[in-house]
Amino acid sequence: MRTRPLKVALLGCGVVGSEVARIMTTHADDLAARIGAPVELAGVAVRRPGKVREGIDPALVTTDATALVKRGDIDVVVEVIGGIEPARTLITTAFEHGASVVSANKALLAQDGAALHAAAEENGKDLYYEAAVAGAIPLIRPLRESLAGDKVNRVLGIVNGTTNFILDKMDSTGAGYQEALDEATALGYAEADPTADVEGFDAAAKAAILAGIAFHTRVRLDDVYREGMTEVTAADFASAKEMGCTIKLLAICERAADGASVTARVHPAMIPLSHPLASVRGAYNAVFVESDAAGQLMFYGPGAGGSPTASAVLGDLVAVCRNRLSGATGPGESAYAALPVSPMGDVVTRYHISLDVADKPGVLAQVATVFAEHGVSIDTVRQQGKDGEASLVVVTHRASDAALNGTVEALRSLDTVRGVASIMRVEGE
């Protein structure tokens, strides 16, 4: 074993960063044995230097992150500060000054992953980011290494624990959205401002990363269709149960049937109770991968939190340190396929549409005619009503999003249709 330690700079010492530092200290001997050399925490960049950080030598703490990554003797920079800047500049500066990088920054990777990979390659360094998607769940490395010889056709997953907790609570207790959100906040699963989670921004960033790796194509955050879950109601769950389904906020990355394009999207969807993702409860994450040779694979576990995320960071740290010792680098960006990313209008799936209609003869025939005129085939219809008002629930066969949108606009123009109560996609079949 080499006795000279590999030096690690830690950018950020919050929930995840402090746990990374703790594990590096308490598991130092094991990490050294697995890597082939000791690892030394050489500096910790923070915004508030006066805060007491248990287990971290105050002499290592600095507010000058730029100076830390420019030192020249740093082997690996671990970036867990999040956001776009200054993280982007610090990472590229680290590459330029001889360090490889381990990051958990999903937003930055989804927006500028191609540029970061290019900077890493130009400087002959590693960029690893297992912790950016689904916390402790091994997912990035299986996709870009274990399945590198296979053809991945679809990645379907629950990649945000906050939203899964809320939807699971609505499903299991009949609670409304706000009530479930309040409980998630009280238990620490939701931030004071939950917008990034409940509006799908967090999941969309992860979908961009997954799609890029799975399909060997550059997929940016702007390429991902995003729809939040704040409009999901108890009535939607009641309808889902009648269909033998539940509702999840899903990240869906798909290769087109002809293989000529890909799509990436995040939105609430009904999935059959028989699908493995339907049983994912609480704040857990799970990702379902479908490929030609391996078939169907599912990855499941805690998708957030200090210890789970730190576990993924440390796994990357070990891999990068091993590469440093051998003088090699691991896999970089694979974007050779360069497939176009199709718009949401081209996506084909099933739909569940709930309409408020007049309770009188001929309404169903009018509605069915509109669907037929727009080329959307109906699978099932359920109608209930009294006192002149009724609800009409239509479940379609597979149709494009554009065709469905045209159908809904035409339905709204009918005198007998009072309103469109809800529209939800049906996935996982």
Side-chain angles (χ1 to χ4, degrees):
M1 178 186 293
R2 192 180 87 166
T3 57
R4 182 170 65 82
L6 292 160
K7 294 188 176 183
V8 178
L10 179 61
L11 307 183
C13 198
V15 173
V16 176
S18 60
E19 192 66 10
V20 169
R22 184 191 69 80
I23 295 173
M24 284 184 64
T25 301
T26 58
H27 295 181
D29 291 342
D30 284 340
L31 290 173
R34 294 167 191 172
I35 292 169
V39 288
E40 173 189 314
L41 188 59
V44 182
V46 299
R47 285 185 298 178
R48 297 185 294 275
K51 181 179 178 181
V52 176
R53 294 173 173 86
E54 186 177 349
I56 296 178
D57 183 353
L60 297 178
V61 176
T62 178
T63 58
D64 194 344
T66 301
L68 178 59
V69 300
K70 283 184 173 181
R71 274 177 37 174
D73 64 336
I74 300 297
D75 294 287
V76 184
V77 169
V78 175
E79 183 271 310
V80 288
I81 56 178
I84 305 302
E85 288 291 359
R88 174 170 49 198
T89 299
L90 290 170
I91 288 174
T92 55
T93 301
F95 291 142
E96 292 165 359
H97 286 77
S100 289
V101 173
V102 172
S103 176
N105 195 331
K106 54 187 171 286
L108 178 57
L109 288 159
Q111 178 172 307
D112 288 321
L116 295 179
H117 275 292
E121 183 177 0
E122 181 181 350
N123 291 280
K125 298 297 178 286
D126 275 324
L127 173 61
Y128 276 52
Y129 44 90
E130 184 68 63
V133 180
I137 305 172
L139 186 58
I140 301 297
R141 198 169 296 142
L143 279 174
R144 73 176 184 175
E145 297 182 31
S146 303
L147 294 174
D150 205 344
K151 179 184 178 183
V152 176
N153 296 310
R154 195 174 197 228
V155 180
L156 174 76
I158 299 164
V159 294
N160 183 278
T162 300
T163 56
N164 199 59
F165 178 89
I166 293 170
L167 292 173
D168 181 41
K169 188 61 61 175
M170 292 175 70
D171 185 29
S172 60
T173 69
Y177 166 76
Q178 189 60 50
E179 182 183 352
L181 172 60
D182 290 344
E183 182 172 351
T185 303
L187 292 172
Y189 291 127
E191 301 287 345
D193 179 1
T195 303
D197 295 322
V198 300
E199 294 294 352
F201 291 100
D202 175 85
K206 295 170 181 175
I209 295 169
L210 292 175
I213 296 170
F215 306 133
H216 306 279
T217 291
R218 287 178 179 169
V219 180
R220 289 171 50 89
L221 182 59
D222 292 345
D223 296 321
V224 182
Y225 172 84
R226 178 194 55 79
E227 185 180 317
M229 50 159 278
T230 56
E231 301 301 318
V232 176
T233 66
D236 292 326
F237 274 102
S239 293
K241 288 181 178 179
E242 290 180 1
M243 291 178 58
C245 293
T246 188
I247 299 171
K248 300 291 186 181
L249 184 75
L250 297 178
I252 305 170
C253 312
E254 291 180 307
R255 189 189 299 269
D258 63 3
S261 64
V262 299
T263 58
R265 51 197 165 103
V266 169
H267 54 71
M270 295 181 180
I271 58 171
L273 294 175
S274 58
H275 194 282
L277 290 178
S279 62
V280 178
R281 311 301 297 269
Y284 276 72
N285 285 192
V287 177
F288 200 73
V289 178
E290 300 174 11
S291 67
D292 276 0
Q296 297 179 333
L297 307 170
M298 184 161 136
F299 302 84
Y300 169 85
S307 293
T309 305
S311 171
V313 170
L314 267 295
D316 278 352
L317 179 63
V318 169
V320 170
C321 285
R322 287 171 175 169
N323 290 343
R324 296 282 289 195
L325 289 179
S326 67
T329 55
E333 182 188 32
S334 175
Y336 73 90
L339 296 171
V341 182
S342 296
M344 187 63 186
D346 292 348
V347 170
V348 175
T349 189
R350 298 177 67 209
Y351 291 87
H352 175 283
I353 305 102
S354 180
L355 305 171
D356 296 326
V357 300
D359 186 18
K360 62 182 184 180
V363 173
L364 180 55
Q366 285 184 324
V367 169
T369 297
V370 170
F371 275 87
E373 289 174 347
H374 288 80
V376 179
S377 177
I378 294 175
D379 183 17
T380 62
V381 178
R382 186 175 69 255
Q383 184 173 5
Q384 295 177 325
K386 63 178 181 178
D387 300 328
E389 298 296 330
S391 63
L392 187 66
V393 175
V394 177
V395 179
T396 74
H397 288 290
R398 292 175 64 83
S400 72
D401 193 74
L404 193 281
N405 287 338
T407 303
V408 171
E409 287 304 309
L411 288 171
R412 288 194 170 106
S413 69
L414 295 177
D415 292 339
T416 52
V417 174
R418 311 299 193 210
V420 179
S422 69
I423 303 171
M424 192 164 295
R425 296 167 183 88
V426 183
E427 302 284 349
E429 294 185 320

